[in-house]
Amino acid sequence: MSRSPDQQPAPALRYYEDVSPGGGTLPPRAWHAASSAPRLSLNGIWRFRLAPSADAEDDSFARPGYDASGWDELAVPGHWVLQGHGSPAYTNTGYPFPVDPPRTPDENPTGDHRRVFDLPVDWPAAGAATLRFEGVESCARVWLNGTELGTFQGSRLPHEFAVGHLLRPRGNVLAVRVHQWSAGSYLEDQDQWWLPGIFRDVTVEHRPEGAVRDVFVHASYDHTTGTGTLRVDAEPGGRVSVPELGLELATGERATAPVEPWTAETPRLYAAELTTAGERVPLRLGFRTVAVEGGLLTVNGRRVLLRGVNRHEFHPERGRALDPETMRRDVELMKQHNINAVRTSHYPPHPAFLDLCDELGLWVIDECDLETHGFHAVGWRGNPVDDDRWTPALLDRAARMVERDKNHPSVIMWSLGNECGTGRGLTAMARWIRERDPDRLVHYEGDLSCRDTDVYSRMYAPHEEVERIGRRAETPLLDRELGERRDRLPFILCEYAHAMGNGPGGLTEYQRLFETHERCQGGFVWEWIDHGLARRTPDGRRYFAYGGDFGEELHDGNFVCDGLLFPDRTPSPGLVEYKKVIEPVLIEGDGAAGTARVVNRHDFADLSGLAFTWSYEVDGETLAAGEWEVPPLSAGAAADLKLPDPPVTERTGEAQWTLRARLASDTAWAAAGHEVAWARLPAPNRPPAPVIAAAAAPRRADGRITLGPGAFDAATGALTALGDLPVTGPRLDVWRAPTDNDNGAPWQPEERYGPIWRGLGLHRMRHRVDAVETTDTTLTVRSRVAPAATDLALAVRYRWTATADRLRLAVSVVPEGDWSCPLPRLGVRLGVPASCGHARWYGGGPGEAYPDTRAAARVARWELSVDAMQTPYVRPQENGARADVRWAELTEPSGRGLRIEGQPVFWFTARRWTSERLEAAEHTPDLLPSPDTVWVNLDHGQHGIGSQSCGPGVLPEYRLEAAPAEFSFTFSTLG
Ligand code: GAL
């Protein structure tokens, strides 16, 4: 937009408002964990002071003589807002300052950091040295011993300065001024907390005469010959040795040798060393070739299927300042959950993370630190990626990523960034990247034309669209040429299955599409971890905070908590589900015929690393078990196998086989015995002989009706006791505390049932008892359950029958009126004494499951306390249902309690608060246990979960339509 003539000309820009990448830094180069040259880590305690604006303080603090002893102390790496100075703030896409690029607001928190250090006594007296910053958010100005070195932007990218001439043996003073906001902030609008600070390592590296300036390893693999080709580009005159391959070659020279290739499943690395006149740098070589061939993404000549996640760097106490243990934990957890790929959303991670990916084996899309999503709000006006003035900064970012990470075999694609719209700057980045590294692919999602990319990538496309893309029948592009090019590209979902709160649903169906259509090469669940920040209530209870909890004027609430891990890295049910859905070994078969088929779904590895077992169970009790001989099938192969003869038994009941694949020996990411895949195959059942018990008759006395073990209120027909156990009668319940996926995202065009259900009043249903009738053997209660202000209703009949010790409830529900929306749940809710805090059940478990998130629920006998049955979603919401429950028991420590059997199986939920209390809670400490009641939901149906908090809603087959239904439960007492 142009300025009107009477407006003042724009004021001169300050260095932190400069759209250029900054000045004074060295050209970027490859990162290596170690070298023979000495290094000094400057991580540790620094002096720190915070100013509210960028220009408030002078720069005298940079002078060696300055006395900073009165300043606070701050841990570096770290974010000052997580160490008691100012506050973190969360926005998804909106910039938390006016969009007026490249200007920053007056309120620009600025942290002065100061560190005095000595060189180690054995530090070489002469020679060059660099001062290296791995990550500073968002703009830094740096002085060493009073001399200004320069400024830089690009928060999650490395920056180095030449400092050899300034270093002295003792008393060096490093001063760093960090501005929270800069021109660079316009390029860093990722959906995450805004966390300023020096949040990654700071190092001084000696650079001896003749040191390695940079190194670029090219290690490819020819699957037709089984040979690897190596060329290491570095200073002329350098030597590279690979002892295991007997290779000794000069830098720039090519050598070929038979090798084992690197893949994410078989991460074979060869130790090598680069030697120059002044330095030795250890290298780890992984030979592999990435390509698009015949419309498919291949590695070493084979199609790969990406079973991925999007990973932000996050720690609940330290934000994006991750320690090595946390990084390793992430990779281990991914591997343990069958994940084989990671997109480093939305910036290059700490470089050590990529070493772990090389070592343990993950395919990586390395993404540039670039997102300008907030320009969407202003019609993309002024979008930096389409404004040539910003292109040098974009190219600088691309170069810093590629140069730093170019030697990692795990990195198979470079991603230009995330959600930047479209523009010439992106094309310039892609061009530069291809030129510099033609051996990897280029990824970007935000441009449907795919003009700059090697893969067609989308986010949150619904199943039916993915199916169309798989059949190459998607909506054509207007530009024919680009359209034809796109049609030839492999397809991935760089984000899908939004794991916010309870969910995501529909994973199984996506996976089937990826397995069916060769063009659909998998995807990356959004996202790995909830970014909830650890806090405590005044009385010391720990919880996780989200947007708005720090008084932000503008924020996006708990949209920042949408991961497969809880903030403390406990796997959520979503991760357990994902592990099952993507398991790399498929076991299916016919338990009755005693046959099973094993399919090796790895892309490269055979099954020799796995040991298989079988077990035969009746009613969840194991009668026999043993090892199962499965041949070491090669990748993609299948075998039809026979199961052992089932044990001879008199036992009646429900029989099943459980077949398991486990690690045969220890790996770098899990111990021997770790389960990789499993299956349950039903076997022929032997029904028990029917027990004919005399029917009990209802008796009325003193305003009560008794029937078998049940006591009822004669006026309302409500069950008040079961034996000597007081209960709050089971009555119809359709409400659930809406999940984030029920609520959906406000921008979703489709119906969002959370708000619709609330609007209808399903959370405040009224129960009118119309009749309490008895016959010789039955007690029937008729009621009408309906919300105010509408004529919609559910006509309910509760029909009770009993024997002396068992009470049976048959529920029949008939909807009245025009129900155009599904129900949240359909079942009964009852209250039992709070002392009944221990649950045992036979059915799906051990974790929660819902209709479209139930792949991981296995039918067995389970036992947990009611407290442990809760899933602690950061924002409380419906959770904790167990699927396919045949029977459940709730008991006191004494053994007294009740047993519930379902006809048919049911969804079992028990919690110490009602759904209404669950819904009202905003954080976990708001959930206060009821002193006297455990609330139990026995559901005939649950509506699916879907992924509508950002993606598609519940698939039609998982909708719980309001339709006539009948179901029953049998209650008995225990102890
Ligand atoms: C995507 C975006 C992610 C995240 C996600 C929703 O559009 O790329 O960064 O915001 O939506 O959680």
Side-chain angles (χ1 to χ4, degrees):
M1 213 189 300
S2 57
R3 287 171 194 279
S4 61
D6 52 345
Q7 271 180 314
Q8 294 295 312
L13 299 177
R14 277 77 54 104
Y15 65 92
Y16 49 85
E17 294 176 319
D18 186 352
V19 299
S20 80
T25 55
L26 292 166
R29 60 178 176 128
W31 179 86
H32 290 284
S35 125
S36 61
R39 291 182 183 183
L40 173 65
S41 166
L42 297 182
N43 294 352
I45 299 299
W46 292 41
R47 289 289 178 182
F48 177 77
R49 80 171 166 197
L50 183 65
S53 71
D55 297 315
E57 300 294 335
D58 66 27
D59 49 20
S60 57
F61 82 106
R63 288 204 293 268
Y66 184 90
D67 178 10
S69 58
W71 291 17
D72 283 326
E73 293 190 327
L74 191 87
V76 172
H79 307 279
W80 69 71
V81 290
L82 299 183
Q83 297 185 57
H85 303 275
S87 301
Y90 165 60
T91 56
N92 169 13
T93 65
Y95 289 103
F97 46 79
V99 180
D100 182 24
R103 302 297 311 281
T104 55
D106 285 351
E107 300 82 4
N108 188 356
T110 292
D112 288 340
H113 299 66
R114 200 170 188 277
R115 165 89 198 243
V116 181
F117 65 95
D118 299 338
L119 292 176
V121 281
D122 55 353
W123 193 269
T130 66
L131 170 65
R132 184 175 174 101
F133 294 89
E134 296 296 347
V136 181
E137 179 168 331
S138 79
C139 173
R141 183 174 176 192
V142 186
W143 297 261
L144 183 65
N145 294 332
T147 300
E148 183 172 347
L149 300 175
T151 65
F152 62 85
Q153 300 173 22
S155 297
R156 298 104 201 173
L157 293 164
H159 295 87
E160 272 184 308
F161 297 99
V163 295
H165 59 297
L166 296 173
L167 283 176
R168 17 175 128 132
R170 301 186 64 77
N172 294 286
V173 176
L174 175 58
V176 188
R177 171 163 289 171
V178 180
H179 306 289
Q180 170 152 20
W181 308 121
S182 65
S185 305
Y186 286 96
L187 305 181
E188 296 172 6
D189 192 30
Q190 293 94 344
D191 174 7
Q192 59 179 349
W193 294 100
W194 298 94
L195 297 175
I198 305 175
F199 71 99
R200 286 187 190 155
D201 313 301
V202 185
T203 347
V204 182
E205 281 188 32
H206 185 245
R207 306 309 299 139
E209 194 66 32
V212 177
R213 220 293 303 151
D214 190 17
V215 44
F216 196 167
V217 174
H218 305 269
S220 60
Y221 180 73
D222 180 346
H223 66 280
T224 60
T225 59
T227 53
T229 298
L230 176 65
R231 192 186 84 229
V232 177
D233 292 338
E235 359 289 301
R239 303 285 308 164
V240 180
S241 68
V242 195
E244 223 184 316
L245 296 174
L247 287 182
E248 275 284 344
L249 62 163
T251 50
E253 192 188 328
R254 276 161 67 101
T256 298
V259 295
E260 291 171 47
W262 187 96
T263 74
E265 293 166 5
T266 55
R268 179 68 161 95
L269 293 172
Y270 290 88
E273 191 171 70
L274 166 66
T275 313
T276 60
E279 193 177 15
R280 276 172 294 113
V281 177
L283 303 173
R284 296 194 304 178
L285 313 179
F287 292 87
R288 55 112 191 84
T289 293
V290 187
V292 171
E293 299 167 308
L296 297 180
L297 160 62
T298 63
V299 180
N300 303 337
R302 291 204 203 163
R303 170 186 186 258
V304 292
L305 184 54
L306 303 174
R307 305 166 167 100
V309 284
N310 281 280
R311 174 182 179 270
H312 266 288
E313 294 188 308
F314 187 75
H315 184 280
E317 266 112 26
R318 295 189 296 275
R320 288 188 282 277
L322 290 204
D323 55 285
E325 297 72 42
T326 304
M327 293 184 231
R328 179 170 283 273
R329 188 75 195 126
D330 275 351
V331 179
E332 283 171 359
L333 280 167
M334 288 178 192
K335 296 288 290 185
Q336 288 168 8
H337 289 87
N338 294 334
I339 286 164
N340 72 359
V342 59
R343 171 175 177 235
T344 70
S345 54
H346 298 303
Y347 41 81
H350 188 289
F353 178 77
L354 297 176
D355 268 358
L356 291 164
C357 295
D358 294 343
E359 199 179 300
L360 277 69
L362 287 170
W363 308 116
V364 177
I365 299 184
D366 195 357
E367 189 150 272
C368 198
D369 191 4
L370 180 62
E371 172 159 346
T372 63
H373 205 170
F375 283 87
H376 178 251
V378 297
W380 295 107
R381 277 188 304 282
N383 184 9
V385 307
D386 204 23
D387 176 339
D388 294 338
R389 284 171 301 174
W390 293 80
T391 304
L394 305 187
L395 291 173
D396 179 71
R397 284 170 188 251
R400 286 182 191 281
M401 167 178 74
V402 172
E403 299 299 359
R404 191 195 74 169
D405 296 342
K406 58 187 180 279
N407 294 332
H408 292 283
S410 55
V411 175
I412 57 169
M413 289 191 220
W414 301 115
S415 176
L416 304 180
N418 184 56
E419 297 188 313
C420 294
T422 57
R424 299 188 296 279
L426 295 169
T427 305
M429 290 171 82
R431 199 173 296 140
W432 184 89
I433 292 174
R434 286 184 204 289
E435 177 93 356
R436 179 65 180 141
D437 182 17
D439 296 333
R440 288 185 175 91
L441 308 181
V442 173
H443 170 271
Y444 178 63
E445 183 272 347
D447 188 347
L448 278 180
S449 78
C450 297
R451 78 184 70 235
D452 298 317
T453 66
D454 296 310
V455 293
Y456 176 24
S457 175
R458 291 281 304 280
M459 48 174 79
Y460 307 107
H463 298 80
E464 42 91 13
E465 192 185 359
V466 173
E467 201 259 344
R468 265 186 283 129
I469 294 172
R471 288 191 285 108
R472 296 178 199 274
E474 70 265 40
T475 321
L477 285 179
L478 285 181
D479 182 320
R480 234 194 59 218
E481 219 171 286
L482 280 175
E484 284 172 6
R485 190 174 160 277
R486 190 179 78 178
D487 290 349
R488 290 193 297 271
L489 299 181
F491 177 75
I492 63 165
L493 282 164
C494 69
E495 292 179 29
Y496 79 113
H498 199 245
M500 184 177 181
N502 187 334
L507 284 170
T508 302
E509 291 72 17
Y510 275 116
Q511 201 61 26
R512 289 302 87 87
L513 292 168
F514 304 156
E515 285 156 4
T516 308
H517 302 282
E518 67 168 5
R519 185 190 190 189
C520 298
Q521 294 194 249
F524 297 78
V525 166
W526 186 268
E527 69 175 304
W528 177 236
I529 185 168
D530 285 342
H531 314 206
L533 288 167
R535 306 257 276 171
R536 288 197 184 270
T537 58
D539 61 350
R541 285 174 299 148
R542 187 172 134 112
Y543 69 100
F544 297 107
Y546 48 80
D549 289 339
F550 298 91
E552 301 105 295
E553 279 181 348
L554 191 72
H555 67 81
D556 290 289
N558 68 317
F559 201 66
V560 78
C561 293
D562 51 4
L564 294 172
L565 293 180
F566 292 110
D568 62 3
R569 289 190 157 67
T570 310
S572 78
L575 181 57
V576 179
E577 175 80 359
Y578 194 39
K579 173 185 178 181
K580 175 69 180 130
V581 167
I582 59 178
E583 60 189 14
V585 180
L586 172 70
I587 307 171
E588 55 187 4
D590 182 343
T595 55
R597 184 177 171 77
V598 177
V599 185
N600 179 1
R601 282 184 164 159
H602 288 98
D603 296 321
F604 300 94
D606 67 23
L607 294 188
S608 57
L610 300 178
F612 290 75
T613 58
W614 61 269
S615 73
Y616 183 88
E617 296 129 32
V618 173
D619 283 345
E621 275 176 38
T622 302
L623 299 196
E627 312 214 322
W628 187 33
E629 217 41 62
V630 173
L633 300 170
S634 56
D640 290 303
L641 302 168
K642 233 191 106 22
L643 295 172
D645 289 333
V648 180
T649 171
E650 287 306 299
R651 281 283 299 265
T652 60
E654 181 183 25
Q656 66 182 28
W657 297 93
T658 300
L659 305 166
R660 294 191 165 86
R662 294 195 172 93
L663 289 183
S665 47
D666 292 351
T667 64
W669 46 269
H674 164 82
E675 187 180 272
V676 171
W678 62 274
R680 163 183 184 265
L681 306 183
N685 292 337
R686 294 211 284 142
V691 189
I692 313 289
R699 274 176 295 128
R700 279 178 194 263
D702 308 329
R704 280 166 31 115
I705 299 175
T706 51
L707 175 62
F712 299 81
D713 180 308
T716 63
L719 180 71
T720 56
L722 186 67
D724 62 354
L725 210 64
V727 299
T728 310
R731 65 175 196 172
L732 195 83
D733 191 21
V734 297
W735 186 240
R736 74 181 184 195
T739 64
D740 293 317
N741 284 315
D742 288 338
N743 286 334
W747 61 82
Q748 296 276 15
E750 292 83 26
E751 288 172 311
R752 299 184 291 119
Y753 291 118
I756 291 174
W757 291 333
R758 250 194 164 262
L760 272 180
L762 301 191
H763 59 300
R764 47 170 168 75
M765 299 286 259
R766 292 289 182 264
H767 297 244
R768 185 187 71 207
V769 176
D770 288 334
V772 178
E773 303 156 345
T774 50
T775 66
D776 285 356
T777 54
T778 62
L779 161 65
T780 301
V781 180
R782 290 175 207 282
S783 102
R784 184 176 188 275
V785 182
T790 156
D791 59 0
L792 292 179
L794 298 166
V796 188
R797 188 194 67 202
Y798 307 90
R799 187 166 175 277
W800 295 93
T801 51
T803 62
D805 52 7
R806 290 158 62 84
L807 182 64
R808 185 164 192 272
L809 166 65
V811 184
S812 123
V813 184
V814 179
E816 290 175 359
D818 181 15
W819 285 85
S820 51
C821 72
L823 297 171
R825 69 175 349 128
L826 179 68
V828 296
R829 172 161 86 177
L830 75 154
V832 303
S835 53
C836 294
H838 191 80
R840 293 177 68 227
W841 72 96
Y842 172 44
E848 74 179 26
Y850 288 82
D852 52 350
T853 64
R854 64 193 289 173
R858 54 179 108 188
V859 174
R861 290 194 183 201
W862 305 105
E863 154 158 35
L864 278 176
S865 70
V866 167
D867 296 325
M869 288 181 77
Q870 313 309 307
T871 308
Y873 291 113
V874 172
R875 186 190 71 81
Q877 54 196 275
E878 166 66 25
N879 73 82
R882 292 336 193 245
D884 298 320
V885 175
R886 281 75 169 152
W887 55 255
E889 295 175 355
L890 284 158
T891 51
E892 297 179 344
S894 68
R896 190 176 81 127
L898 78 163
R899 177 178 166 100
I900 306 146
E901 290 154 55
Q903 297 92 21
V905 297
F906 60 99
W907 301 91
F908 169 52
T909 311
R911 48 173 77 108
R912 293 193 179 276
W913 33 79
T914 58
S915 302
E916 291 74 10
R917 294 279 293 276
L918 182 60
E919 185 187 357
E922 290 180 352
H923 297 92
T924 47
D926 300 337
L927 290 168
L928 298 177
S930 147
D932 39 44
T933 311
V934 166
W935 292 102
V936 185
N937 275 93
L938 310 172
D939 291 317
H940 178 59
Q942 276 272 0
H943 185 61
I945 296 294
S947 194
Q948 219 185 352
S949 55
C950 193
V954 171
L955 287 168
E957 56 270 38
Y958 301 118
R959 288 164 60 96
L960 177 61
E961 301 296 355
E966 303 207 350
F967 46 94
S968 36
F969 304 101
T970 303
F971 301 90
S972 51
T973 56
L974 296 169

